[in-house]
Amino acid sequence: MIYRRRMTARSADEAHRAATPLELFFDLCFVVAVAQAAGVLHHDLVDWHAGHAVGNYLFVFFAIWWAWMNFTWFASAYDTDDDPYRLLTLVQIAGALTLAAGVPRAYAGDYLVITLGYVIMRLAMVTQWLRAAKADPEHRTTAIRYAVGITVVQIGWVARLLLDQPAYLYVGLGLIVGELLVPVWAERARMTTWHPGHIAERYGLFTLIVLGEAVLAATIAIQTAADESHGVDADLLVLAGSGLLLVFSLWWLYFDQTVQRMLRSLRTAIVWGYGHYFIFASTAAIGAGLSLSSDALGGHAHVTNLQKGLAVGVPLAIWLIAVWWLHVCPLVRGPAAAASPVAAVLVVAVAWTPVAVPLMALITAVLAVITTWAVRRLT
């Protein structure tokens, strides 16, 4: 017997709202896609094909992040946890795993598999929105707009496979803009009842996932270098300690503030939700950069000190600016508000030094102390 519930909008003020086991399973399966994207970025950086690596990484990570984000906001408003909802979510997970399988081919220029996985995820979401449109008259126009907008863009992604460069690139950029505009257009009809606390928790969980990927990537790389050098030398110890301090500081900076009170309007929700692309993508890229540094110590990557420094410093600077923009600026005023931009400039500047990663970790740790002091003094 199929268990089915009416898909009515959940309350935005629902008490004790928390992530469900299905949402956690959804995130777990997305770990594979994040790991694939970061892993291929790392391998491209080893050969220092920086332009190719970054361009493909940004495209691939957009597909991962956007599918995850759309599911998260829909679930916050309409999670019924009945059999049809669960089955459609499992279809989305199958699409995510297909997408993950297609990541290496995408870096080689073959986007067939990754597009197939992405379209599977998005069309499953269309089905969810059509179900919401049928069951929730108050938000029917919004739900139909989502369904129509997503479908049109998916047709575009499939048609894009028939194109050659440079049209392939330009159409892809246009379709990304189209994806980003669908929620803005749909939510203007009537805002869905997403739960601020639930959304903040879900974003926090995905932040932990990408931080975990950074830790895992760096740990495996250092372990490999240590095994091949028949012991751990001083340079490896310094790199391992610096990477650990850096990840600790990133965690502290992100989670020290309570952000759910910021999510009270469509504008702030869009800015905050979309801005996390830079946080998620840069976190995974930091892990790839740390892996590159350990590879260089083990002789597996013939890159300069500057290249090693930039591989960590550039994504770290983007991360610091993104967290400052989304988490710190709404709370902190005065000189302390300038600490994050200054730190972002410094972490890029020290990339030119032979001890770039330790200095970056120290700068980030000092920033965490300053930001924590400033936020707590005002709250």
Side-chain angles (χ1 to χ4, degrees):
M1 181 177 180
I2 296 178
Y3 170 58
R4 184 183 181 94
R5 296 174 58 190
R6 183 178 177 85
M7 187 174 269
T8 54
R10 299 183 65 156
S11 172
D13 299 319
E14 182 179 340
H16 310 298
R17 183 72 189 274
T20 66
L22 181 60
E23 288 177 311
L24 297 177
F25 183 50
F26 187 87
D27 290 355
L28 177 64
C29 293
F30 265 74
V31 169
V32 179
V34 173
Q36 285 277 47
V40 181
L41 171 65
H42 163 235
H43 289 302
D44 262 9
L45 289 176
V46 166
D47 299 322
W48 202 247
H49 300 146
H52 177 268
V54 173
N56 278 284
Y57 176 73
L58 293 176
F59 260 106
V60 168
F61 205 94
F62 173 83
I64 298 168
W65 161 76
W66 188 246
W68 176 88
M69 195 188 86
N70 276 256
F71 167 79
T72 295
W73 288 80
F74 178 87
S76 190
Y78 287 107
D79 185 353
T80 57
D81 199 32
D82 61 1
D83 292 345
Y85 179 86
R86 290 182 175 187
L87 290 171
L88 283 169
T89 301
L90 294 177
V91 171
Q92 289 176 269
I93 290 174
L97 296 177
T98 304
L99 183 150
V103 167
R105 295 178 63 177
Y107 273 79
D110 181 359
Y111 279 82
L112 177 60
V113 176
I114 198 172
T115 300
L116 175 62
Y118 182 75
V119 171
I120 289 172
M121 290 188 292
R122 302 298 282 139
L123 292 182
M125 183 56 62
V126 169
T127 307
Q128 297 277 37
W129 279 116
L130 290 175
R131 187 181 172 198
K134 181 179 179 181
D136 184 11
E138 291 185 5
H139 296 89
R140 182 165 296 157
T141 300
T142 301
I144 290 175
R145 284 187 178 189
Y146 269 112
V148 171
I150 293 170
T151 301
V152 169
V153 178
Q154 300 325 294
I155 293 172
W157 285 118
V158 174
R160 176 176 177 256
L161 295 172
L162 303 175
L163 301 176
D164 296 321
Q165 297 288 8
Y168 189 82
L169 172 63
Y170 298 144
V171 171
L173 293 172
L175 289 170
I176 287 175
V177 173
E179 293 274 18
L180 294 172
L181 289 177
V182 169
V184 178
W185 172 57
E187 293 284 341
R188 284 183 175 175
R190 187 183 181 99
M191 196 165 67
T192 51
T193 57
W194 40 267
H195 191 287
H198 178 247
I199 289 294
E201 180 193 20
R202 297 290 292 116
Y203 273 71
L205 290 170
F206 203 75
T207 300
L208 289 174
I209 284 175
V210 289
L211 276 173
E213 287 295 330
V215 172
L216 178 62
T219 301
I220 291 175
I222 291 172
Q223 177 186 349
T224 302
D227 290 343
E228 294 186 358
S229 61
H230 306 291
V232 180
D233 60 22
D235 290 336
L236 275 177
L237 285 174
V238 170
L239 179 61
S242 300
L244 196 60
L245 177 61
L246 179 58
V247 172
F248 285 172
S249 301
L250 297 181
W251 174 86
W252 195 290
L253 280 165
Y254 185 90
F255 287 101
D256 190 56
Q257 299 91 31
T258 301
V259 298
Q260 66 186 67
R261 63 181 179 273
M262 305 176 194
L263 303 176
R264 297 297 179 186
S265 69
L266 177 60
R267 179 182 177 277
T268 56
I270 291 290
V271 170
W272 191 86
Y274 285 15
H276 269 73
Y277 168 77
F278 301 101
I279 295 176
F280 296 154
S282 59
T283 304
I286 290 169
L290 291 173
S291 296
L292 179 67
S293 294
S294 61
D295 281 348
L297 288 177
H300 296 289
H302 302 288
V303 291
T304 65
N305 286 332
L306 175 59
Q307 290 169 338
K308 289 189 298 181
L310 291 177
V312 178
V314 171
L316 177 57
I318 294 170
W319 193 98
L320 295 176
I321 291 297
V323 171
W324 169 74
W325 173 39
L326 300 177
H327 283 199
V328 179
C329 280
L331 300 175
V332 178
R333 297 292 182 269
S340 293
V342 171
V345 172
L346 289 176
V347 297
V348 175
V350 300
W352 272 259
T353 70
V355 287
V357 175
L359 288 176
M360 291 173 189
L362 181 61
I363 291 166
T364 308
V366 171
L367 174 64
V369 173
I370 294 172
T371 304
T372 300
W373 170 81
V375 170
R376 294 182 183 179
R377 188 169 61 93
L378 296 173
T379 56

